Amino acid sequence: MRFFSGSASFRRAIVPIASFAVFAFLIAALALLAAAASGSGPHTAGQAPSPASPEWKLWYRQPAAAWTEALPVGNGRLGAMVFGGTQSELIQLNEDTVWTGGPFDPRGTGAGVKALPEIRRLVFEGKGKEAEALFEKEMMAKVWEQAQYQPLGDLKLSFSGLGDISGYRRELELDAAIARTTFHAGGTTFVREVFCSPPDQAIVVRLAADKPGAISLFATLDGRVNARRRGDESWTVRGEAPAAIVLRGQTASFRGATERLRYEARLQAEVEGGTVELYNSSEHDALRITGANAVTLTIAAATSFKSYRDASADPAARVKETLSEIAGKAYERLRDDSVADHRRLFLRAAVEFGPPGAAAALPTDERFAAFAAGTDPGLAALYFQYGRYLLICSSRPGGQPANLQGLWNADMNPAWGSKYTSNINLEMNYWPAEVANLAECAEPLFAMIKDLSVAAGETARTNWGARGWLLGHNTDIWRATAPIHGAYWGAWHTGGAWLCTHLWEHFLFSGDRAFLAEYYPVIKGAAEFFLDTLVVHPKTGRLVTNPSGSPENGPGGDPAWTRNPEGTRNRPIGISAGPTMDLQIIGELFGLAGRATEILGVDPDFRAQVAKAKARLEPMRVGRLGQLQEWMDDVDSPDDHHRHVSHLWGLYPGTSISPRTTPKLVEAAKRTLELRGDAGTGWSMAWKIAFWARLLDGDHTWEMVKRQLSLTTALTGKGGTYPNLLDAHPPFQIDGNLGGAAGIAEMLLQSHEGEIVLLPALPSALPQGAFRGLRARGGFEVDAAWENGALKSAAITSRLGGTCRVRWGKLAAELKTTAGKTYVLDPKAVGKLRFLPHFRS
Ligand code: FUC
């Protein structure tokens, strides 16, 4: 229900766009400075589209035949993949601190700082091969790898007496975070529900039937075996009277860490009717449940992880505590509390791309074809909501950040260790957090950044003789920061600086000064590292990084990797000075560090230092192909279709390349994207969605969404999306899901230049649609709807008060806002953008 306020506390202004660009940032900064309240929580700001609509479901007509068809549930710490089998059911389990190894010191020779002058000289003289060799001798970690994320185990259910199955359906309800399997057998309807409760910290499986006594099964836990037998992990599964199954183990040791990570998972059953007893066979212990009307299985799990420096907790005591806290709690209450907690986050935002067509009613895996044909754009809206769902389920305050697979991993040797790759993947995981109204889901990332700022101090001193901290292209649960893999990958080191932009963005969206003050030392440390390590380029006299690299690329890109007759590979030289991405990231770091000192009223000397250094950084360059150069030298190859497009960092997520302020760089960025091509791994395509949105090209943005949402199977083997809507690098990586959701938001709303831009990159394929609850910098929440490609309605809720500038195409408006009020677009103002001082209940 709407009501109108008679207040005249708004000022209407239709202002030419050019003047916006000039004052935009100033206005935004003033709005933030003026904000009296810090961190007023984000919330729901409108009525349509409904985020709880029946469309927010994934569903299938058959059980999952592979992990990439199974459905994920999670509470940030505990995760489960539900296969939806009938006679036998597999529920694969995760806990986010089950990693190999224990706390360790990753540092290598410790002689890095002594070798640094020589490495720099070699790089400046173009002797990259020698420079990489010396880097690898003196600057690398003790072992050129890091720890791996491990599966916890499996819950296996084996049912008896079911007979023929009909009416099968399995689904994932995104707004409730429940996976459900329903079918009929022998005249009985069976319903199974699985969820991971955030408030009760347990995995809950409910088995129900509409006839009494119909449920009989064996239930057990199982550990996973490392098929490559590389590890020395061990585990046992034992029954414990009266009726529990306990999986207890320790993960594989890793490079001599003294402590080993230990874990426990405990399965218990509550039966309504029938019996439950322990069953011992020579193979395994199980629970035998016979003739029950309904069953609630509860799994609690914990590890010995306390912090990256301490793995000495008692998992059994933690599990016991959890179970004693929920003892006697009825299934309905467990479920209702879990659903309410999830909905608190999930319901805040939604997008919708027109009324659902016939294809929207199809099972999820059958919608891809209609989506490709243009008749089911709603699949992209579902994909956006799924991205939000996955972030909520894999990253909750107090837990670990979403890793390469978020939370869900079945593999003892997962691709890239399922750890944290910080030259794109980790950051991409958190791109939707602020705009898609899930800011608190980024808390684990912020906590990790704080850890890293301490842990990486040693790496800064021993390798660089510098203050502060840095991060290269990877870290793990033990917060290892010494370079790994080789100089080609490991010499790049602006990951920490990049992560600081996430801290800054959190402040821009929330206006939370206390947060900024808390993290200011972290930001300052990251900037000090570069104040100490940037060097003057002998040819240009400007400041550059050296040694560094442009993530995982060298001149020539992938084609430059050649294979020797004996199978070994030659790779291009990656080590370099002043790659473009570094200069963009460091430029923004220095800029935001300076702004932070102003807002907090601290450190004028430091402010002057970063301003001076920023002005001396090498500029971006346009090369001979019309491209934005990836390196200082014009060596980009026209045949380079490499997945990383690092030098466009300044376009997205950075802000130094913009159609409004740097048109020449924008042309070069477009050329770069054309040369690179649209194809790519899952995350690479997700990044390109956001690039094209920032270039304000809606149709190319949509082309990338379509590519991202193309079905990947074992046969296609290409980047895209699996039947369970998880991103295919391939293999599965969650970055593409989360980056894809952020890219879709960027298509609908932008706010990085001091004004809220509505529908900045609306594709012609989406003539109609709506969004609600998206957040904009400056403390605003935005709802909007469009029809025939034109803005139809909009409502802006101000959380902090202050001036709000809004734009749609060439029309712009400015309104003075009061915190807590919602301002609604005047539908009568034809040809103008005008907001009424209306606010809604
Ligand atoms: C970087 C990327 C790869 C992959 C890995 C996890 O190495 O270049 O494509 O995403 O991270």
Side-chain angles (χ1 to χ4, degrees), residues 30-334:
L30 287 175
L32 287 172
L33 281 169
S38 69
S40 63
H43 17 125
T44 298
Q47 283 148 17
S50 161
S53 99
E55 288 163 64
W56 306 135
K57 275 186 186 171
L58 276 58
W59 76 277
Y60 304 84
R61 299 185 212 264
Q62 68 290 329
W67 195 91
T68 48
E69 295 175 24
L71 296 172
V73 289
N75 67 2
R77 183 178 72 88
L78 298 166
M81 288 297 279
V82 184
F83 282 65
T86 52
Q87 314 280 355
S88 61
E89 167 65 310
L90 170 62
I91 299 176
Q92 185 259 310
L93 309 172
N94 284 106
E95 199 277 357
D96 71 354
T97 59
V98 181
W99 286 66
T100 60
F104 69 96
D105 177 358
R107 281 174 301 161
T109 66
V113 71
K114 289 193 207 109
L116 199 53
E118 177 64 0
I119 296 171
R120 285 178 167 149
R121 186 184 67 78
L122 291 167
V123 170
F124 278 143
E125 288 177 7
K127 295 178 178 152
K129 200 166 178 187
E130 293 86 337
E132 288 199 346
L134 189 54
F135 187 100
E136 290 181 354
K137 182 157 173 269
E138 305 294 7
M139 291 187 80
M140 299 292 289
K142 210 171 353 186
V143 181
W144 294 12
E145 280 177 26
Q146 288 168 356
Q148 319 204 112
Y149 180 51
Q150 300 283 277
L152 172 66
D154 296 320
L155 170 65
K156 292 180 174 167
L157 309 179
S158 171
F159 295 85
S160 48
L162 285 183
D164 288 346
I165 308 291
S166 64
Y168 180 90
R169 176 184 168 110
R170 73 187 162 99
E171 63 185 17
L172 180 63
E173 250 186 82
L174 299 187
D175 78 305
I178 293 179
R180 184 177 300 105
T181 308
T182 315
F183 58 90
H184 313 298
T188 304
T189 301
F190 292 87
V191 181
R192 300 177 185 159
E193 294 187 332
V194 185
F195 60 88
C196 297
S197 168
D200 290 317
Q201 287 298 312
I203 301 166
V204 181
V205 179
R206 172 75 169 181
L207 311 172
D210 66 353
K211 300 251 163 64
I215 304 171
S216 295
L217 71 147
F218 290 95
T220 194
L221 293 174
D222 217 346
R224 291 240 160 176
V225 175
N226 193 332
R228 285 199 225 152
R229 303 204 182 282
R230 271 201 330 208
D232 54 357
E233 68 278 340
S234 58
W235 48 264
T236 57
V237 175
R238 300 247 156 78
E240 264 184 35
I245 299 294
V246 183
L247 165 67
R248 198 171 277 143
Q250 56 183 358
T251 58
S253 55
F254 183 69
R255 66 176 111 178
T258 45
E259 270 170 303
R260 297 267 295 277
L261 201 284
R262 291 166 293 113
Y263 58 89
E264 180 174 308
R266 178 177 286 254
L267 166 69
Q268 292 185 172
E270 289 274 327
V271 292
E272 289 161 36
T275 57
V276 55
E277 62 196 332
L278 274 182
Y279 173 86
N280 309 98
S281 76
S282 53
E283 267 178 42
H284 49 66
D285 291 355
L287 299 179
R288 178 159 61 187
I289 295 164
T290 315
N293 308 332
V295 180
T296 304
L297 301 172
T298 313
I299 298 169
T303 76
S304 58
F305 181 85
K306 279 185 170 169
S307 76
Y308 73 95
R309 287 189 280 216
D310 183 353
S312 67
D314 177 356
R318 288 176 159 182
V319 164
K320 208 168 148 196
E321 196 186 323
T322 303
L323 288 172
S324 74
E325 276 169 17
I326 58 174
K329 194 166 174 181
Y331 171 73
E332 287 72 19
R333 268 197 58 213
L334 288 169

Side-chain angles (χ1 to χ4, degrees), residues 649-667:
W649 188 93
L651 178 64
Y652 187 94
T655 56
S656 52
I657 303 173
S658 146
R660 259 161 270 149
T661 54
T662 63
K664 286 201 179 120
L665 294 177
V666 158
E667 283 316 304

